[in-house]
Amino acid sequence: MAGPYLALNTLTYDLKFHFAEYRGWAFTAGLNGMYQVNDAAKGTELVIPSYRQFDAGPFLHVKKSVGEMDLSGGVRYDVRRYSNDAMYTRVDPATGFETAADAGSGDTTAVKQFDAYSHTFSGGSGSLGAAWNLNDRLTLKANIGRGYRAPTASETTAKGVHPGTGLDQLGDQDLKPEFNLQEDLGLFYAGTHVTVSVEAFNNNISNHHVHTVWDCY
């Protein structure tokens, strides 16, 4: 039976440094991300290519209490480096399934399934929030933040029928990172036996990624 083959190796890292508190200010700096290598060459349904991806995101977080007000905020900058080589396929006459092919072998039946592609995505994010403790039971909270998300391998380079859905997928190499801006405001009551909250939330997303799919028959 035909099927995909994905050997995905992921290395994640997370470094944090908590600075000594200074006049009520608490700072934390850090760096986290991951490195991925995906091998898809042994599959018989090639939907995404073999690829390499490196993510890095340095950040800084700060918090401070001023009277009955707790303040916190942070900033972060993310970078993703993605690349894949061109990939050729041919039909195995013994099985009738696709297999990866060497374009330099002179095999005239080999066709290009994936173009070579590399791109660096980057963007900043951050948030600022406050909690006002009106009394022992009532708290007013407000927050504003900007988020970031880089395109995934399937969103940029997918090309083929997804074996789980039966839909043909086509990635878009011109995708840009997604960003969002959200604001929320809430009033929270914590009683002995009852908790109540009233919250308002707004979220606006730009460069939303929509995977191109269509039915296969």
Side-chain angles (χ1 to χ4, degrees):
M1 178 179 292
Y5 174 92
L6 302 174
L8 180 62
N9 295 289
T10 302
L11 171 67
T12 61
Y13 61 94
D14 187 7
L15 304 173
K16 293 181 181 178
F17 184 83
H18 301 278
F19 293 88
E21 189 170 306
Y22 177 73
R23 294 186 177 182
W25 293 92
F27 292 90
T28 301
L31 172 72
N32 56 37
M34 67 177 179
Y35 177 68
Q36 285 188 331
V37 177
N38 182 54
D39 179 12
K42 297 180 182 178
T44 53
E45 285 184 340
L46 301 169
V47 183
I48 61 172
S50 302
Y51 68 84
R52 300 164 299 280
Q53 179 176 292
F54 177 72
D55 291 354
F59 64 88
L60 176 66
H61 179 264
V62 60
K63 61 180 180 179
K64 179 179 174 61
S65 296
V66 181
E68 302 301 322
M69 186 82 70
D70 297 324
L71 304 173
S72 65
V75 291
R76 179 185 174 98
Y77 191 81
D78 282 274
V79 177
R80 167 171 291 177
R81 178 62 180 173
Y82 173 91
S83 64
N84 68 263
D85 298 326
M87 191 172 188
Y88 291 79
T89 63
R90 65 178 180 85
V91 176
D92 187 337
T95 63
F97 298 146
E98 284 186 326
T99 60
D102 183 0
S105 64
D107 186 353
T108 58
T109 64
V111 296
K112 182 184 285 187
Q113 176 73 2
F114 301 103
D115 293 322
Y117 172 71
S118 64
H119 195 81
T120 299
F121 303 97
S122 62
S125 57
S127 66
L128 179 63
W132 184 16
N133 304 300
L134 301 173
N135 53 48
D136 291 340
R137 298 185 182 274
L138 203 59
T139 303
L140 179 66
K141 296 182 179 181
N143 184 81
I144 183 170
R146 182 180 192 256
Y148 158 90
R149 187 179 79 86
T152 64
S154 60
E155 291 171 328
T156 55
T157 56
K159 186 179 180 182
V161 179
H162 190 290
T165 63
L167 298 178
D168 207 0
Q169 295 188 338
L170 182 62
D172 183 356
Q173 296 184 355
D174 294 325
L175 284 180
K176 299 178 181 179
E178 284 183 352
F179 293 96
N180 80 305
L181 181 64
Q182 71 175 46
E183 309 89 20
D184 57 85
L185 179 66
L187 185 63
F188 300 83
Y189 173 80
T192 304
H193 303 289
V194 177
T195 59
V196 180
S197 67
V198 178
E199 302 173 66
F201 175 83
N202 181 63
N203 188 26
N204 296 292
I205 301 176
S206 59
N207 301 330
H208 179 55
H209 302 161
V210 179
H211 226 4
T212 302
V213 298
W214 58 87
D215 290 332
C216 275
Y217 298 97

